């Protein structure tokens, strides 16, 4: 069995494909999950793919990644990116690599999206590349875990 990467998604991302497609693209979260599973298999990794609309749900997911000794975490915390000290603290408790992903370029959008509580505890940040950002994050994590 390969090393396992936990891919965690925050509020409203369950609506992808229907929600503001001009900003977030046409792919549904299921489409992204499928693409990630395929990409991970090609890289020799396993993935756990989760979504929650609740801040505490995301904290629980991070704690499960810690308990399961996940090889890495890829997180799109969605709106909680800009507000959540709890998610920041939970990620700090994880020893492995963390990659923050956003579908949209948050820096080209409203000012309130320019600050991230995730970035200071992330090893890398990918934003503005749409669904492809998740696959790029998997590639980066794979390279990081090979070198560790
Ligand atoms: C998002 C960007 C956030 O600002 C927003 O609240 C989201 C999605 C993105 O993937 O572009 O819900 O994280």
């Amino acid at each position: 069995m390969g090393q396992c990467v936990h891919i965690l998604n925050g509020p409203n991302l369950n609506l992808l494909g229907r929600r503001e497609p001009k900003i977030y693209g046409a792919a549904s979260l299921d489409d992204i999950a499928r693409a990630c599973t395929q990409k991970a298999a090609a890289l020799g990794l396993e993935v756990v793919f989760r979504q929650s609309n609740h801040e505490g749900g995301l904290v629980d997911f991070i704690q499960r990644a810690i308990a399961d000794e996940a090889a890495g975490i890829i997180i799109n915390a969605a709106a909680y990116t800009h507000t959540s000290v709890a998610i920041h603290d939970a990620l700090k408790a994880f020893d492995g690599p963390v990659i923050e992903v956003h579908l949209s370029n948050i820096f080209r959008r409203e000012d309130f999206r320019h600050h991230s509580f995730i970035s200071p505890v992330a090893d890398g940040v990918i934003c503005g590349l749409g669904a492809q950002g998740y696959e790029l994050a998997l590639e980066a994590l794979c390279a990081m875990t090979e070198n560790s």
Side-chain angles (χ1 to χ4, degrees):
M1 193 166 120
Q3 300 197 82
C4 192
V5 173
H6 288 222
I7 305 180
L8 310 180
N9 295 280
N12 299 307
L13 294 175
N14 54 314
L15 300 179
L16 280 183
R18 285 175 287 156
R19 172 195 183 208
E20 301 184 86
K22 284 207 175 86
I23 295 176
Y24 296 118
S28 69
L29 196 61
D30 279 349
D31 293 335
I32 294 175
R34 261 191 300 275
C36 285
T37 304
Q38 273 176 21
K39 180 78 185 180
L43 294 168
L45 296 169
E46 312 250 325
V47 288
V48 166
F49 196 95
R50 297 191 162 119
Q51 188 271 336
S52 176
N53 287 328
H54 306 279
E55 185 175 18
L58 290 165
V59 171
D60 287 343
F61 290 164
I62 294 164
Q63 291 190 9
R64 276 159 75 178
I66 294 168
D68 292 354
E69 297 181 4
I73 293 177
I74 294 171
I75 183 162
N76 182 352
Y80 289 132
T81 303
H82 316 299
T83 63
S84 181
V85 175
I87 293 172
H88 169 106
D89 284 350
L91 287 170
K92 251 184 151 168
F94 177 68
D95 284 336
V98 174
I99 314 255
E100 174 183 3
V101 170
H102 301 284
L103 296 152
S104 63
N105 179 356
I106 55 176
F107 299 103
R108 204 163 72 176
R109 301 182 63 195
E110 304 94 319
D111 286 352
F112 65 83
R113 295 185 204 276
H114 296 179
H115 178 263
S116 167
F117 280 97
I118 311 298
S119 299
V121 288
D123 294 278
V125 182
I126 296 173
C127 81
L129 301 179
Q132 195 197 4
Y134 286 77
E135 294 181 53
L136 295 171
L138 273 169
E139 278 182 28
L141 267 188
C142 182
M144 284 167 155
T145 52
E146 268 169 11
N147 294 334
S148 67

